[in-house]
Amino acid sequence: MKEVISLPAGRTQKIIQKYLIHAHPHPRPYKEAEFVALRKKGGIMDTLYNVQHEVVLCPRNENLNEQINHLNENFQERLKGYIQERSNTFGFDEREEYKFYLLEIKRYLNHLPRTATTSQAHTYFTFSELTSGRQIVLRESEMKKQ
C-alpha cells in the first residue's frame, strides 16, 4: 500500500471541499493509498485526507437511492449533494461508472507543498515528504532515484 496518492482536482476543488467527496471515472489504475492529497492549480496541496469509504456507482442512474442505501445517512446526503452540484456545474463525462471517495480531513498542509514541475496525472508521495514543511517536495518515484 502506498502512503499518499495525489490527484488533480481542477475545477471540482470547491465542491470537493464542500462535500468532502472526490470522484473520478472508474476504473483507473490507482494503487491503494492510506491518504489522499488533492492538487489545486499549480500542483499545490493544502490538505491530507483519510478515505472513510469508497463506492463505485453510476451518478446519472435514476436509482441512485438504491445504489447508496447501504451507506449511513451522512454519506448518502453528502453523495447526493455532490452529485447534484457537480451535475449542474462541472458535470460527469459519458462513462457510466465513477468511483467516489468519501473523505475526512486528516491534516492541513499549511506550507502548501508542490512539486518543482506540475503534472496532470496521479502521483504518489510519502507521508513524511508531504508533512516535512518544505514547499517543494519530491514524488515517491524521485526519492527512490536519490
Side-chain angles (χ1 to χ4, degrees):
M1 176 186 284
K2 299 289 185 178
E3 290 183 25
V4 181
I5 185 170
S6 177
L7 304 167
R11 297 180 294 169
T12 61
Q13 187 76 33
K14 287 184 181 178
I15 61 173
I16 291 169
Q17 290 174 333
K18 181 176 180 178
Y19 296 101
L20 291 176
I21 293 177
H22 175 65
H24 59 72
H26 180 74
R28 290 265 170 101
Y30 299 156
K31 296 177 181 158
E32 190 174 339
E34 188 174 351
F35 303 104
V36 174
L38 300 170
R39 295 192 309 274
K40 296 180 176 190
K41 187 175 181 177
I44 295 170
M45 297 168 276
D46 64 4
T47 309
L48 275 178
Y49 300 93
N50 287 327
V51 177
Q52 293 181 298
H53 195 77
E54 297 176 7
V55 61
V56 175
L57 55 91
C58 303
R60 295 181 174 174
N61 191 325
E62 293 178 15
N63 299 325
L64 179 64
N65 288 336
E66 292 174 22
Q67 292 182 77
I68 64 173
N69 67 3
H70 66 284
L71 299 172
N72 72 41
E73 189 174 320
N74 176 275
F75 288 171
Q76 289 182 43
E77 292 306 312
R78 286 168 50 197
L79 266 171
K80 289 178 196 176
Y82 176 90
I83 289 169
Q84 181 65 46
E85 192 164 334
R86 180 167 166 169
S87 294
N88 292 336
T89 56
F90 182 72
F92 292 95
D93 70 18
E94 295 303 315
R95 295 188 188 198
E96 282 191 33
E97 289 189 326
Y98 275 73
K99 187 171 193 175
F100 292 81
Y101 297 88
L102 290 102
L103 306 171
E104 173 183 57
I105 295 171
K106 168 68 176 175
R107 184 177 193 163
Y108 290 106
L109 302 171
N110 296 323
H111 59 291
L112 304 176
R114 62 180 175 78
T115 56
T117 59
T118 59
S119 170
Q120 293 301 313
H122 71 284
T123 191
Y124 301 98
F125 292 92
T126 64
F127 182 83
S128 62
E129 184 68 6
L130 280 188
T131 59
S132 68
R134 292 188 304 278
Q135 284 190 319
I136 303 298
V137 293
L138 297 174
R139 295 173 182 92
E140 182 185 71
S141 60
E142 294 169 324
M143 294 177 77
K144 292 179 180 179
K145 294 176 184 175
Q146 290 186 337

